[in-house]
Amino acid sequence: MAKALNPDKTAQERQKAAKAAMFAYEDARKLFPAGSADSERTRKKGYRAHDMANRPVDEWVLD
């Protein structure tokens, strides 16, 4: 996700990194017990990565 948020990378590189993060968070979520704090945290990060991966880079809001 850090690469997706790096303004020094090109838009294409950031979009690709966001898509990779989206899948990584989905995989990580499967490792945690359902309903645990870790599962909820990775679910929220996965949703954010999904939103970033599916929105044009120029519309991203970087925190």
Side-chain angles (χ1 to χ4, degrees):
M1 192 67 167
K3 193 177 206 180
L5 298 173
N6 186 347
D8 295 334
K9 300 292 181 185
T10 66
Q12 183 179 12
E13 288 174 317
R14 294 187 344 219
Q15 194 90 34
K16 185 177 177 182
K19 286 182 182 180
M22 175 181 69
F23 290 115
Y25 285 127
E26 280 300 311
D27 288 344
R29 198 176 103 201
K30 294 173 187 173
L31 298 175
F32 299 117
S36 71
D38 291 326
S39 178
E40 285 299 304
R41 186 172 60 250
T42 56
R43 181 184 61 81
K44 289 177 184 176
K45 287 183 178 183
Y47 284 150
R48 180 168 184 229
H50 179 272
D51 290 347
M52 290 176 73
N54 291 298
R55 182 181 306 146
V57 176
D58 59 342
E59 295 178 9
W60 286 9
V61 177
L62 303 177
D63 294 334

